[in-house]
Amino acid sequence: MRTLDTASHSENSTLRKVPTLSLASYTKGSDADRAKFIDNLFTGLKEYGFIILKDHNVKAADLHKAYDILQKFYSLPTDVKKSYISPKAGFQRGYTPFGQEHAKDSPVMDLKEFWHVGRVLPEGHALKTVYPENVWPTETPEFKSHFTALFDALEEAGNVMLEALTMPLEVEKDFFAKMTKDGNSILRLLHYPPIPEGVDPRCVRAAAHEDINFITILPAATASGLQLKDRDGQWLDIDSEPDTLIVDVGDMLARLTNDVLPSTTHRVINPQDGKNQSRYSMPFFMHPHPEAMLSCLPSCKGTGAKYPDITGHDFLMQRLREIGLIK
């Protein structure tokens, strides 16, 4: 769900800082290291809705190359980019032009354009008729191979983190793995261009919203601007080292955990430093498979489930209508 934040901008919170964790402490560490990672991951997501991940499996060189490819693609003429708007897949694959998506309940559009890469399925797979085919630009021949590989690497990191959450949530170790196998995950390749002259002053690069999915994994972007709304209602800058992964909870995981792990409002503000330059960003939205049932976990039920059961597909479609990407 993407919801517009209409509160006035308050001073940035300086007392709290999103925790940085080492994924290697879980994948390669001792039992004590793993236990500490699990505890810090759960606490970080519960307290902030966000954590920053270092020592992960996604190679820095691959991230740098990905941003180079994006810079080449988004410098193409608008007509060329618009030729990759998929008539069948709509927003779900290929190119979405500047100014088309908005936050839920927002009267104005976000200042961005983006490309969606979805899961590549083998011939004969049961979901071939459910998921749209990917679209690939011929002008940047490395695009397909590089972003297909990056999709897989980010999903691998996501699977590890979701596995780590199974212990505090008191579910089987493969609980999330079964839900996300062949899931409808999306790698979104974003370009926030320099702010155009004469744009509606209410427009920002990405208005305040929460993500739809289980978790979002965001490689550190090429410029600053990402902020989260802290539990005290203040905006907190998310400053991360290059090549780290920023991880946040989406509405699907919040729903599953009865808001024990809440999705957190965040936004991308317009440049504040006078540097009106492009910003590139590559969030990986990790989704379950369409038939996965989002039901409140017994360990999180407390005095009762806040939300009725719904499938991953139905919840996704409901949210996409709210943000203007489908009718």
Side-chain angles (χ1 to χ4, degrees):
M1 178 178 66
R2 297 168 55 83
T3 51
L4 177 66
D5 175 59
T6 54
S8 61
H9 177 67
S10 58
E11 291 299 313
N12 289 348
S13 173
T14 56
L15 299 178
R16 286 156 59 85
K17 188 176 179 183
V18 174
T20 298
L21 310 180
S22 168
L23 190 62
S25 66
Y26 181 82
T27 56
K28 300 175 183 176
S30 65
D31 287 348
D33 292 334
R34 288 167 62 88
K36 186 177 179 184
F37 176 86
I38 290 168
D39 183 56
N40 288 340
L41 176 67
F42 186 77
T43 303
L45 294 178
K46 188 175 180 181
E47 286 287 311
Y48 295 90
F50 277 76
I51 59 101
I52 297 169
L53 204 64
K54 64 178 183 178
D55 306 327
H56 50 77
N57 60 299
V58 186
K59 295 176 183 173
D62 290 344
L63 295 176
H64 301 170
K65 183 176 179 182
Y67 283 126
D68 288 342
I69 295 170
L70 288 191
Q71 197 164 354
K72 289 176 190 170
F73 173 76
Y74 283 115
S75 66
L76 292 170
T78 301
D79 287 350
V80 174
K81 291 183 288 187
K82 283 188 171 180
S83 72
Y84 292 107
I85 299 173
S86 174
K88 291 184 180 177
F91 77 96
Q92 295 181 74
R93 300 291 186 270
Y95 179 67
T96 298
F98 182 80
Q100 187 160 324
E101 186 184 62
H102 62 81
K104 181 175 179 280
D105 301 328
S106 173
V108 293
M109 295 296 181
D110 288 349
L111 304 176
K112 65 193 181 192
E113 57 183 336
F114 54 90
W115 185 287
H116 276 167
V117 176
R119 185 174 301 283
V120 176
L121 294 169
E123 289 302 324
H125 193 285
L127 289 171
K128 265 281 196 184
T129 57
V130 178
Y131 296 167
E133 287 292 324
N134 277 297
V135 179
W136 304 110
T138 56
E139 290 81 3
T140 43
E142 301 167 297
F143 198 104
K144 178 179 179 179
S145 59
H146 196 76
F147 288 115
T148 300
L150 185 59
F151 182 109
D152 292 341
L154 290 167
E155 182 172 54
E156 182 184 332
N159 281 328
V160 173
M161 284 181 281
L162 288 173
E163 180 188 280
L165 288 174
T166 60
M167 186 175 290
L169 292 174
E170 300 176 24
V171 291
E172 302 83 7
K173 193 173 181 180
D174 64 351
F175 175 82
F176 287 108
K178 287 190 289 191
M179 293 185 84
T180 59
K181 179 175 169 49
D182 298 331
N184 195 14
S185 298
I186 290 283
L187 176 58
R188 174 178 279 194
L189 308 173
L190 276 156
H191 175 223
Y192 303 94
I195 309 302
E197 288 284 338
V199 74
D200 189 314
R202 296 173 296 172
C203 290
V204 294
R205 284 180 156 175
H209 65 280
E210 297 85 40
D211 290 341
I212 297 171
N213 38 288
F214 274 161
I215 57 173
T216 301
I217 306 167
L218 173 69
T222 60
S224 60
L226 181 63
Q227 296 181 330
L228 68 82
K229 183 176 267 192
D230 204 352
R231 302 293 182 239
D232 62 6
Q234 295 190 40
W235 287 104
L236 179 66
D237 291 317
I238 303 179
D239 295 318
S240 58
E241 294 296 317
D243 312 322
T244 53
L245 304 177
I246 300 164
V247 182
D248 72 272
V249 173
D251 281 338
M252 288 186 181
L253 186 56
R255 194 179 183 101
L256 204 68
T257 63
N258 220 24
D259 293 329
V260 169
L261 296 179
S263 58
T264 296
T265 305
H266 55 285
R267 65 185 182 183
V268 179
I269 60 172
N270 296 342
Q272 306 292 298
D273 54 8
K275 296 178 181 176
N276 189 15
Q277 60 193 20
S278 283
R279 180 181 190 268
Y280 299 92
S281 174
M282 304 182 294
F284 178 74
F285 301 120
M286 195 156 185
H287 282 263
H289 61 79
E291 298 307 312
M293 186 63 69
L294 305 177
S295 301
C296 179
L297 299 178
S299 65
C300 301
K301 198 159 278 186
T303 56
K306 298 179 184 180
Y307 309 104
D309 292 357
I310 190 171
T311 65
H313 174 78
D314 288 346
F315 186 77
L316 174 62
M317 292 301 109
Q318 175 184 313
R319 287 291 182 264
L320 294 177
R321 281 190 288 272
E322 291 172 346
I323 63 174
L325 286 182
I326 61 173
K327 301 273 189 225

